[in-house]
Amino acid sequence: MCVLVLSPNALDRCITDADQKDWVHREIVTAIETKCNIVPVTWEFKWPKPDDLPEDMRQVVFFNGVKWIHDYQEACVDKLERFLRGQENVPHVDGSYLKDGYMHGNRGSSST
């Protein structure tokens, strides 16, 4: 599992980074390629349009995550903890996801 902490403009350098020179870009791509589950934690962060990001990291904009709100940080930590324990819907690179600690089929599938 990878916790991706994103503050304002955190992915701006990735937008023009076709060669993976930015370390954040490299870390995200490595997590995706190794099928590591990524849980974004955002604070005052606005996601770029998927097409603005390099193709190799584009899917990160669709992952479920935690929106950090300082006034509710205890609830945010609880939600992050549920993601880390597999008690929230955590999407996997292959489209399957964890729910209540169990693997389910592709999202949108009638079998889940």
Side-chain angles (χ1 to χ4, degrees):
M1 181 103 24
C2 172
V3 177
L4 177 62
V5 179
L6 298 168
S7 58
N9 307 313
L11 296 181
D12 285 1
R13 292 185 317 222
C14 298
I15 290 173
T16 59
D17 185 38
D19 298 324
Q20 289 189 22
K21 293 185 178 187
D22 180 70
W23 70 271
V24 174
H25 183 179
R26 285 193 308 268
E27 290 290 328
I28 291 170
V29 170
T30 299
I32 291 170
E33 288 175 347
T34 59
K35 300 190 185 316
C36 181
N37 300 323
I38 301 171
V39 179
V41 176
T42 61
W43 172 72
E44 296 184 8
F45 177 78
K46 183 178 178 190
W47 286 100
K49 294 176 186 172
D51 289 340
D52 288 345
L53 291 172
E55 187 173 352
D56 58 0
M57 66 176 287
R58 221 171 260 167
Q59 61 188 300
V60 75
V61 303
F62 301 108
F63 293 166
N64 292 329
V66 176
K67 182 177 179 180
W68 190 267
I69 301 170
H70 288 291
D71 290 346
Y72 301 101
Q73 66 184 9
E74 189 172 326
C76 293
V77 169
D78 289 344
K79 184 171 184 176
L80 178 59
E81 190 175 318
R82 287 194 307 274
F83 271 114
L84 297 175
R85 289 185 180 169
Q87 297 170 340
E88 292 282 337
N89 293 341
V90 179
H92 292 256
V93 174
D94 66 1
S96 61
Y97 64 98
L98 285 176
K99 182 177 180 184
D100 299 326
Y102 297 97
M103 184 64 68
H104 293 267
N106 290 340
R107 296 178 133 189
S109 165
S110 59
S111 65
T112 58

